[in-house]
C-alpha cells in the first residue's frame, strides 16, 4: 500500500530544492568566467555539434574537423580538414584580430575567399570552450557560414 504525498510533503520538498539551488548558484557562478583576450591563446580543436552518435563517430574518424591556433601575440592559424583529405589553412596577423567586449573577431584574407570568425570563450572549472560562427565571403558577399565549437 502506497501513501500519496500530501501538500505539506510537496511543499517541504520544494523548499529543500529551492534552498539547495540557492546554495549552489554562487558556487557554480563563481567558478565560471568568460575568456577574454588573455584566455583564448592556445590550440583549440573543433568538436562536433551533433548528438551522441556524431561524438562517438568523431573518436574513430579522421581527418579532424578543424584546428585553431591562437598565439599570445594574437596571430591566428585556422585549419579546416575535409573528408576527401583536403586541408584549408587560413592565417591572420594580430592586426586582423579585434575584440568587442567578450567577442573575438578574426578576419582571414585568402583571395578570392574571405572568412570571418566571431567567437567568445567560456571556462567553468576545468572545462574551456570557444563558441563561434565562421562566416565565408566572396566578391558577392556572404555565401556560407556555420557554427563551430572548440575545446583545447
Amino acid at each position: 500500500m502506497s501513501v500519496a504525498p500530501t501538500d505539506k510533503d510537496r511543499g517541504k520538498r520544494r523548499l529543500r530544492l529551492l534552498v539547495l539551488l540557492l546554495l549552489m548558484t554562487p558556487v557554480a557562478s563563481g567558478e565560471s568566467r568568460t575568456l577574454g583576450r588573455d584566455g583564448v591563446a592556445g590550440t583549440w580543436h573543433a568538436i562536433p555539434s551533433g548528438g551522441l552518435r556524431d561524438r562517438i563517430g568523431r573518436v574513430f574518424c579522421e581527418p579532424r574537423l578543424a584546428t585553431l591556433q591562437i598565439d599570445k601575440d594574437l596571430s591566428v592559424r585556422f585549419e579546416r580538414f575535409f573528408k576527401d583529405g583536403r586541408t584549408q589553412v587560413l592565417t591572420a596577423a594580430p592586426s586582423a584580430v579585434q575584440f568587442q567586449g567578450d567577442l573575438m573577431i578574426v578576419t582571414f584574407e585568402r583571395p578570392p575567399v574571405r572568412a570571418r570568425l566571431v567567437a567568445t570563450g567560456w571556462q567553468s572549472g576545468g572545462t574551456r570552450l570557444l563558441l563561434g560562427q565562421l562566416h565565408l565571403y566572396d566578391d558577392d558577399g556572404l555565401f556560407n557560414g556555420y557554427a563551430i565549437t572548440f575545446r583545447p
Side-chain angles (χ1 to χ4, degrees), residues 20-39:
L20 181 62
L21 287 173
L22 289 174
L23 290 174
M24 290 181 64
T25 300
V27 172
S29 65
E31 291 181 15
S32 62
R33 66 180 179 93
T34 302
L35 298 178
R37 183 181 300 263
D38 298 330

Side-chain angles (χ1 to χ4, degrees), residues 88-91 107-115 137-139 143:
Q88 180 184 43
V89 178
L90 302 171
T91 58
T107 302
F108 301 99
E109 297 286 345
R110 186 173 177 208
V113 175
R114 188 180 75 212
Y137 301 85
D138 61 12
D139 292 337
F143 71 87

Side-chain angles (χ1 to χ4, degrees), residues 78-94:
F78 181 67
E79 293 180 87
R80 295 175 65 197
F81 303 99
F82 298 94
K83 290 181 181 180
D84 65 2
R86 291 181 303 121
T87 301
Q88 180 184 43
V89 178
L90 302 171
T91 58

Side-chain angles (χ1 to χ4, degrees), residues 14 25-26 36 40 53 55 74 111 134:
R14 289 181 183 149
T25 300
V40 296
R53 182 175 150 196
R55 292 175 195 269
L74 296 181
L134 183 68

Side-chain angles (χ1 to χ4, degrees), residues 106-141:
V106 182
T107 302
F108 301 99
E109 297 286 345
R110 186 173 177 208
V113 175
R114 188 180 75 212
R116 184 169 286 145
L117 176 66
V118 179
T120 186
W122 172 82
Q123 178 174 343
S124 179
T127 303
R128 291 174 60 202
L129 291 176
L130 197 60
L131 313 165
Q133 180 80 22
L134 183 68
H135 303 275
L136 303 172
Y137 301 85
D138 61 12
D139 292 337
D140 296 323

Side-chain angles (χ1 to χ4, degrees), residues 47-61 65 83:
I47 59 175
S49 59
L52 180 61
R53 182 175 150 196
D54 286 344
R55 292 175 195 269
I56 291 171
R58 200 61 220 129
V59 171
F60 303 103
C61 181
L65 294 174
K83 290 181 181 180

